[in-house]
DNA sequence: AAGATTTGACCAGC
DNA sequence: GCTGGTCAAATCTT
């Protein structure tokens, strides 16, 4: 694969500059404490700074994504009018499966997606919802399912519905825990760069009720600058585990999930585990960025839930960040609060910055030895 | 008809 | 060679 001629260097430089800017914005966000810090009202100018910083960061992220797309188009030689990767591949190759190029529409080597932000969430659902799968309110398209070695349940592979049309690289994997069928492991990779609007999670009356009681945490419908950690989490308690509030965490919509099925029920975000990075876009409150690693929900018939978030974008001093978000729900108020508040419910899980395997171990079941796996 | 899902096969990393 | 991730044709759904 050769670098596309001409603008390659310039584009790299642009990408570098944009990345720097994004990093600076991120640091700025880190400098300005969240409104919830110390439960003190934040001076208006700081609020403004946060707003500007987040907008700035969103802008950089979008620009980076756009530049990458341009670079890919220029360098990959596949600058076809259609953004279908297949059409480009097949038109240039000998055709057929054997000539498939391991790049997608963004020119990103598929295996290189390991470099994309990746984080894991765990959800517990009510027993009645075992037939359900989590719905985070975003549009995903299932592109595969595979039996995983040692796992009783197959893993589903989803990508953004708008991958082809908008080049959105977000993907997620959904796997039910074999130790607890009510728990789903959701592994997200890549941030949404598309402009889809996050709809309210389907059939989640409880969640909707919580929103109605306060704010509209959905990024897509909310004005650009909201403080989700304050707004959408009214009534919830969250703990940061003594860690500084992460700018990466602020802004993550934590309420968009549901299980679109009967009993709407109770689904419990059990844990978030990062893999070193949070989605950059996740901290932006714009329709274009809503990859949300954090989760909030109401619990129908659940006693508590906890969310553990691990991993940051590697900012100095915060790379080991882990934010423990836990909440207990009593009676009707299924609320959740993010960070900076004392915890009155605590989940026994710990957070990891590691991968899914580690998360599994948190549930006390390292991969069992069930055999079903592999390609047919 | 268009879009989504299913499922067997291919491919890359370990 | 094994395994997980992705592709893509076939099939299903709307």
């Amino acid at each position: 694969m050769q670098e596309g001629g001409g603008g390659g260097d310039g584009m790299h430089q642009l990408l570098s500059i944009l990345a720097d800017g994004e990093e600076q914005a991120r640091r700025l966000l880190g400098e300005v404490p969240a409104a919830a810090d110390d439960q003190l009202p934040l001076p208006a100018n700081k609020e403004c700074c946060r707003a500007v910083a987040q907008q700035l960061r969103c802008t950089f992220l979008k620009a980076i994504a756009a530049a990458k797309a341009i670079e890919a188009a220029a360098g990959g030689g596949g600058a076809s009018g259609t953004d279908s990767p297949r059409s480009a591949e097949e038109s240039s190759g000998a055709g057929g499966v054997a000539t498939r190029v391991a790049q997608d529409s963004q020119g990103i080597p598929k295996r290189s997606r390991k470099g994309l932000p990746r984080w894991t969430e765990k959800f517990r659902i009510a027993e009645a919802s075992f037939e359900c799968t989590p719905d985070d309110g975003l549009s995903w398209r299932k592109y595969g399912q595979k039996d995983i070695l040692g796992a009783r349940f197959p893993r589903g592979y989803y990508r953004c519905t708008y991958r082809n049309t908008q080049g959105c690289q977000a993907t997620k994997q959904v796997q039910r825990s074999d130790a607890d069928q009510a728990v789903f492991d959701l592994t997200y990779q890549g941030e949404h760069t598309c402009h889809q609007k996050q709809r309210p999670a389907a059939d989640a009356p409880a969640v909707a009720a919580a929103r109605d009681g306060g704010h509209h945490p959905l990024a897509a419908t909310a004005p650009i600058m909201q403080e989700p950690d304050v707004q959408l989490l009214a009534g919830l308690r969250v703990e940061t585990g003594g860690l500084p509030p992460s700018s990466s965490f602020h802004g993550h919509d934590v309420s968009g999930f549901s299980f679109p099925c009967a009993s709407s029920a109770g689904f419990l975000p059990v844990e978030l585990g990062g893999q070193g990075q949070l989605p950059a876009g996740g901290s932006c409150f714009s329709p274009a960025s809503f990859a949300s690693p954090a989760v909030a929900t109401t619990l129908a018939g659940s006693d508590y839930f906890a969310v553990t978030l691990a991993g940051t974008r590697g900012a100095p001093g915060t790379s080991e960040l882990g934010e423990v978000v836990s909440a207990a729900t009593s009676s009707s108020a299924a609320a959740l609060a993010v960070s900076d508040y004392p915890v009155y419910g605590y989940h026994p899980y710990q957070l990891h910055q590691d991968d899914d395997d580690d998360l599994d171990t948190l549930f006390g079941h390292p991969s069992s030895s069930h055999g079903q796996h592999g390609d047919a």
Side-chain angles (χ1 to χ4, degrees):
Chain A
M1 312 255 183
Q2 56 192 20
E3 275 299 305
D9 292 342
M11 189 55 65
H12 276 123
Q13 190 174 7
L14 172 61
L15 282 170
S16 178
I17 293 170
L18 290 171
D20 287 343
E22 191 274 335
E23 170 67 16
Q24 290 159 9
R26 193 180 56 74
R27 264 190 279 170
L28 174 59
L29 280 171
E31 293 289 330
V32 182
D37 286 354
D38 301 323
Q39 297 183 317
L40 293 175
L42 196 64
N45 62 329
K46 286 188 176 180
E47 290 277 14
C48 183
C49 284
R50 285 185 56 80
V52 171
Q54 290 207 359
Q55 282 183 301
L56 177 63
R57 190 157 178 243
C58 285
T59 300
F60 274 115
L61 289 168
K62 291 176 187 176
I64 290 170
K68 284 179 179 176
I70 294 170
E71 181 185 41
S80 63
T82 68
D83 48 11
S84 167
R86 193 176 312 160
S87 62
E89 294 163 10
E90 292 178 350
S91 64
S92 61
V97 175
T99 62
R100 279 191 298 197
V101 177
Q103 287 189 342
D104 58 19
S105 60
Q106 294 280 296
I108 300 171
K110 301 193 183 310
R111 304 295 171 184
S112 297
R113 287 184 187 159
K114 290 174 75 173
L116 292 175
R118 180 184 167 105
W119 66 100
T120 300
E121 300 171 5
K122 282 182 180 286
F123 283 87
R124 174 180 291 280
I125 63 175
E127 202 158 336
S129 306
F130 277 2
E131 297 299 318
C132 308
T133 56
D135 175 13
D136 54 15
L138 297 173
S139 296
W140 297 98
R141 181 172 187 165
K142 189 173 186 178
Y143 66 86
Q145 176 172 306
K146 195 165 185 68
D147 289 329
I148 300 302
L149 186 66
R152 280 195 297 164
F153 302 99
R155 176 178 300 168
Y157 297 91
Y158 299 81
R159 65 189 175 209
C160 179
T161 300
Y162 304 100
R163 187 176 115 161
N164 287 339
T165 58
Q166 298 184 28
C168 182
Q169 292 301 306
T171 63
K172 76 171 179 180
Q173 298 174 5
V174 177
Q175 182 158 32
R176 175 170 290 177
S177 169
D178 49 345
D180 186 346
Q181 296 185 23
V183 173
F184 282 87
D185 289 342
L186 303 182
T187 301
Y188 292 84
Q189 188 161 19
E191 57 198 274
H192 279 280
T193 57
C194 59
H195 290 73
Q196 69 171 297
K197 294 200 171 188
Q198 184 178 24
R199 69 186 188 286
D203 301 328
V207 173
R211 287 191 205 118
D212 292 343
H215 312 272
H216 297 277
L218 294 183
T221 57
I224 285 212
M225 285 310 302
Q226 291 203 16
E227 288 292 318
D229 43 342
V230 176
Q231 297 178 351
L232 67 87
L233 302 174
L236 286 171
R237 297 273 179 152
V238 176
E239 173 181 83
T240 55
L243 292 164
S246 164
S247 62
S248 295
F249 186 77
H250 296 144
H252 289 314
D253 172 18
V254 294
S255 67
F257 287 80
S258 74
F259 287 80
C261 56
S263 84
S264 68
F267 63 94
L268 290 174
V270 174
E271 176 174 329
L272 301 176
Q275 211 163 277
Q277 289 188 318
L278 286 173
S283 56
C284 302
F285 288 91
S286 75
S289 54
F290 32 61
S292 171
V295 180
T297 182
T298 56
L299 314 173
S302 301
D303 295 321
Y304 64 86
F305 68 86
V307 176
T308 302
L309 173 64
T312 69
R313 291 180 63 75
T318 62
S319 61
E320 293 298 312
L321 168 100
E323 287 184 331
V324 176
V325 178
S326 60
T329 59
S330 60
S331 60
S332 58
L336 156 119
V338 172
S339 301
D340 310 325
Y341 290 89
V343 165
Y344 62 85
Y346 206 91
H347 199 285
Y349 304 139
Q350 295 180 341
L351 62 91
H352 280 242
Q353 233 174 303
D354 231 309
D355 58 18
D356 303 346
D357 293 339
D358 290 329
L359 294 174
D360 283 341
T361 63
L362 294 176
F363 287 79
H365 76 100
S367 299
S368 62
S369 55
H370 293 88
Q372 105 186 56
H373 60 73
D375 298 335

